[in-house]
Amino acid sequence: MALQLGARRLSKGIVNVSFSSVRSKVRLEQPVRYLAACGILMTNPQRWTYCWHQRAAPAPPVRTFISLANKRKQYSERRIMGYSMQEMYDVVANVDDYKHFVPWCKKSETIMKRASHAKAHLEVGFPPVVEKYTSMITNVRPHLVKAVCSDGKLFNHLETIWRFSPGIPGYPRTCTVDFSISFEFRSVLHSQLATVFFDEVVKQMVAAFESRAGKLYGPETRIPRELMFHEVHQT
């Protein structure tokens, strides 16, 4: 009995020693690596590989797209007015008075005038820039006033066209006004800063000329509501 117990103890001791030595041997045979990126001692290759891939895998790129297109913008408006073609033509063709009523027009001066052509210097101010330019004007009384910017530093393109045609039959002191403007800024920066503000300027343009006609020629002709129309297009 004692012999068997001793043998069992001895056997257990051998097993323990053998297992311990094997475990020790396994520990010594495993590669020991110091991972500088993680700052820790790693003895498990699988864990080391996982940690390395976690640190080395690049983050997905984040891209921000900014539109730098300097697109030409157009605005047009058509409406019936209670003033004659001649009255509205005279208001629009008198460029020297623009500084008194056109939104944000600081200066306006005609420097050359002929039967159907004129040249004028204008200055338009709106935050954050002020533009001085020469406008070449074509007049066809009492049907057309066309103005084209010729040497502006702010605009790559600026064209304004006014057309006047007969109004409502039976109402002689009325006319149909077609107003259109197209513009494109030279600088993308100016385009981003001023486009929103300039949109508001062109939307107020026709109303400003109608108000000027009221000051010069008195109250407009009353037009039945069912005969009125007002169209606006913007691109």
Side-chain angles (χ1 to χ4, degrees), residues 15 28 30 49 65 103 152 157 194 214:
V15 171
L28 292 175
Q30 286 181 342
T49 303
F65 295 94
H157 167 82

PDB file of all heavy atoms in Angstrom, residues 15 28 30 49 65 103 152 157 194 214:
ATOM      1  N   VAL A  15       4.955  13.551 -13.480  1.00  0.00           N
ATOM      2  CA  VAL A  15       4.043  14.224 -14.405  1.00  0.00           C
ATOM      3  C   VAL A  15       4.103  15.717 -14.244  1.00  0.00           C
ATOM      4  O   VAL A  15       4.176  16.465 -15.197  1.00  0.00           O
ATOM      5  CB  VAL A  15       2.608  13.707 -14.194  1.00  0.00           C
ATOM      6  CG1 VAL A  15       1.642  14.548 -14.991  1.00  0.00           C
ATOM      7  CG2 VAL A  15       2.511  12.254 -14.595  1.00  0.00           C
ATOM      8  N   LEU A  28      10.041  29.143 -23.680  1.00  0.00           N
ATOM      9  CA  LEU A  28      11.342  29.569 -24.183  1.00  0.00           C
ATOM     10  C   LEU A  28      11.403  29.544 -25.705  1.00  0.00           C
ATOM     11  O   LEU A  28      12.102  30.322 -26.315  1.00  0.00           O
ATOM     12  CB  LEU A  28      12.446  28.666 -23.600  1.00  0.00           C
ATOM     13  CG  LEU A  28      12.686  28.818 -22.097  1.00  0.00           C
ATOM     14  CD1 LEU A  28      13.708  27.802 -21.643  1.00  0.00           C
ATOM     15  CD2 LEU A  28      13.149  30.235 -21.772  1.00  0.00           C
ATOM     16  N   GLN A  30       8.840  30.092 -27.722  1.00  0.00           N
ATOM     17  CA  GLN A  30       7.993  31.112 -28.364  1.00  0.00           C
ATOM     18  C   GLN A  30       8.806  32.367 -28.674  1.00  0.00           C
ATOM     19  O   GLN A  30       9.649  32.769 -27.883  1.00  0.00           O
ATOM     20  CB  GLN A  30       6.827  31.490 -27.460  1.00  0.00           C
ATOM     21  CG  GLN A  30       5.758  30.431 -27.390  1.00  0.00           C
ATOM     22  CD  GLN A  30       4.618  30.890 -26.505  1.00  0.00           C
ATOM     23  OE1 GLN A  30       4.802  31.803 -25.732  1.00  0.00           O
ATOM     24  NE2 GLN A  30       3.479  30.234 -26.629  1.00  0.00           N
ATOM     25  N   THR A  49       0.398  40.119 -34.341  1.00  0.00           N
ATOM     26  CA  THR A  49      -0.040  40.411 -35.707  1.00  0.00           C
ATOM     27  C   THR A  49      -1.305  41.234 -35.712  1.00  0.00           C
ATOM     28  O   THR A  49      -1.458  42.184 -36.457  1.00  0.00           O
ATOM     29  CB  THR A  49      -0.276  39.101 -36.472  1.00  0.00           C
ATOM     30  OG1 THR A  49       0.912  38.334 -36.445  1.00  0.00           O
ATOM     31  CG2 THR A  49      -0.677  39.396 -37.924  1.00  0.00           C
ATOM     32  N   PHE A  65     -15.816  67.972 -51.056  1.00  0.00           N
ATOM     33  CA  PHE A  65     -15.877  68.533 -52.398  1.00  0.00           C
ATOM     34  C   PHE A  65     -16.425  69.953 -52.319  1.00  0.00           C
ATOM     35  O   PHE A  65     -17.496  70.181 -51.786  1.00  0.00           O
ATOM     36  CB  PHE A  65     -16.768  67.677 -53.294  1.00  0.00           C
ATOM     37  CG  PHE A  65     -16.224  66.300 -53.530  1.00  0.00           C
ATOM     38  CD1 PHE A  65     -16.618  65.236 -52.741  1.00  0.00           C
ATOM     39  CD2 PHE A  65     -15.284  66.078 -54.529  1.00  0.00           C
ATOM     40  CE1 PHE A  65     -16.114  63.971 -52.949  1.00  0.00           C
ATOM     41  CE2 PHE A  65     -14.777  64.811 -54.745  1.00  0.00           C
ATOM     42  CZ  PHE A  65     -15.188  63.756 -53.955  1.00  0.00           C
ATOM     43  N   PRO A 103     -31.065 100.082 -57.089  1.00  0.00           N
ATOM     44  CA  PRO A 103     -30.467  99.518 -55.860  1.00  0.00           C
ATOM     45  C   PRO A 103     -28.952  99.383 -55.960  1.00  0.00           C
ATOM     46  O   PRO A 103     -28.431  98.804 -56.909  1.00  0.00           O
ATOM     47  CB  PRO A 103     -31.139  98.139 -55.764  1.00  0.00           C
ATOM     48  CG  PRO A 103     -32.434  98.278 -56.488  1.00  0.00           C
ATOM     49  CD  PRO A 103     -32.158  99.239 -57.610  1.00  0.00           C
ATOM     50  N   GLY A 152     -15.359  95.662 -67.127  1.00  0.00           N
ATOM     51  CA  GLY A 152     -15.407  95.485 -65.679  1.00  0.00           C
ATOM     52  C   GLY A 152     -14.358  94.514 -65.183  1.00  0.00           C
ATOM     53  O   GLY A 152     -13.965  93.579 -65.875  1.00  0.00           O
ATOM     54  N   HIS A 157     -18.967  88.662 -67.479  1.00  0.00           N
ATOM     55  CA  HIS A 157     -20.086  88.913 -68.387  1.00  0.00           C
ATOM     56  C   HIS A 157     -21.205  89.586 -67.606  1.00  0.00           C
ATOM     57  O   HIS A 157     -21.542  89.159 -66.504  1.00  0.00           O
ATOM     58  CB  HIS A 157     -20.587  87.596 -68.988  1.00  0.00           C
ATOM     59  CG  HIS A 157     -21.919  87.718 -69.675  1.00  0.00           C
ATOM     60  ND1 HIS A 157     -22.054  88.176 -70.967  1.00  0.00           N
ATOM     61  CD2 HIS A 157     -23.187  87.465 -69.234  1.00  0.00           C
ATOM     62  CE1 HIS A 157     -23.324  88.173 -71.294  1.00  0.00           C
ATOM     63  NE2 HIS A 157     -24.034  87.756 -70.272  1.00  0.00           N
ATOM     64  N   ALA A 194     -20.621  87.171 -53.555  1.00  0.00           N
ATOM     65  CA  ALA A 194     -21.561  88.179 -54.018  1.00  0.00           C
ATOM     66  C   ALA A 194     -22.795  87.641 -54.713  1.00  0.00           C
ATOM     67  O   ALA A 194     -23.755  88.380 -54.906  1.00  0.00           O
ATOM     68  CB  ALA A 194     -20.837  89.146 -54.964  1.00  0.00           C
ATOM     69  N   GLY A 214     -43.473 106.072 -61.188  1.00  0.00           N
ATOM     70  CA  GLY A 214     -44.528 106.661 -60.372  1.00  0.00           C
ATOM     71  C   GLY A 214     -44.174 108.058 -59.901  1.00  0.00           C
ATOM     72  O   GLY A 214     -45.042 108.945 -59.842  1.00  0.00           O
TER      73      GLY A 214
END
